[in-house]
Amino acid sequence: SFQAQGVVMVRLTQNSFFGGQLDFEMMGRQDFGRYAKGATKLCNFNILKRGSLDKRHGWDRIIDLKAKLGITADTKVRLIPFAFKKTQGFVVILTPLRMYVAETSPSNIYNLYSVTDGDNIYTSSEIDEIDYQQCGDIIFLAHQKHPPAKIEHVIDDLGKDGFNYSVLRSE
């Protein structure tokens, strides 16, 4: 600490965030070693094995939505996270005209898939009202004006990924 113009200023340096994000009930519990290495809230950061932080990469590193999909600032878009492996993540991209899935990876390489049978299903106003739930490699979609549906991750005979949209039928 140092004193400037009669005001004592304290500067704390945190060398490690290896404790991750602390639960609210841990606040002020300096008797735990994890407290000194944790944070109240971490947003858009990845904790590295050595304890430091790395800024989480954004869409600029993954896919240019305008160049690849023609999505502009005027296009209504809904992004739904879809991850079922630590090394492989997906994001469902819903627009009024099409459904896509973008595959992300730690090396910032992406693949883009069109969802089979996923065109022209939801309107711009309906996209924000969709409820979803993930179970394994399936995303279930629910909207009050549409029958329940699913987007399913499938692998063909050649080992290539794909995604299919289908309406759930009651038996």
Side-chain angles (χ1 to χ4, degrees):
S1 68
F2 64 93
Q3 192 166 356
Q5 300 177 351
V7 177
V8 175
M9 305 207 36
V10 177
R11 291 190 182 169
L12 299 175
T13 302
Q14 185 146 348
N15 296 321
S16 171
F17 290 95
F18 205 65
Q21 184 170 318
L22 301 175
D23 185 76
F24 178 75
E25 294 180 3
M26 289 281 297
M27 296 306 134
R29 295 294 311 267
Q30 297 180 9
D31 54 331
F32 287 97
R34 188 168 173 221
Y35 184 84
K37 294 182 180 177
T40 304
K41 186 172 184 178
L42 290 174
C43 294
N44 295 322
F45 288 98
N46 295 320
I47 299 172
L48 302 176
K49 289 179 182 179
R50 60 189 177 274
S52 59
L53 290 178
D54 185 26
K55 184 178 178 204
R56 183 186 62 83
H57 301 295
W59 281 99
D60 59 322
R61 300 274 183 114
I62 298 170
I63 188 171
D64 182 348
L65 294 176
K66 184 175 181 181
K68 294 288 184 181
L69 306 177
I71 294 175
T72 65
D74 297 332
T75 306
K76 185 70 172 178
V77 177
R78 172 92 183 265
L79 303 176
I80 298 175
F82 180 32
F84 57 93
K85 291 182 182 177
K86 287 184 179 180
T87 58
Q88 187 179 32
F90 298 98
V91 176
V92 177
I93 304 169
L94 299 174
T95 71
L97 297 176
R98 306 281 315 265
M99 286 185 197
Y100 303 95
V101 174
E103 177 184 10
T104 63
S105 70
S107 59
N108 296 321
I109 297 172
Y110 72 89
N111 289 315
L112 187 64
Y113 306 93
S114 290
V115 177
T116 306
D117 298 325
D119 294 346
N120 299 309
I121 297 171
Y122 302 103
T123 65
S124 292
S125 60
E126 293 172 341
I127 288 176
D128 285 335
E129 300 169 349
I130 297 171
D131 289 323
Y132 67 91
Q133 183 69 44
Q134 179 179 342
C135 182
D137 56 355
I138 300 172
I139 292 263
F140 294 94
L141 305 174
H143 189 277
Q144 61 185 351
K145 294 182 182 178
H146 298 275
K150 66 181 179 179
I151 297 174
E152 187 172 14
H153 176 233
V154 293
I155 300 175
D156 67 13
D157 295 336
L158 300 174
K160 293 191 176 193
D161 291 302
F163 295 86
N164 295 332
Y165 174 91
S166 60
V167 173
L168 298 175
R169 307 278 182 216
S170 59
E171 306 271 334

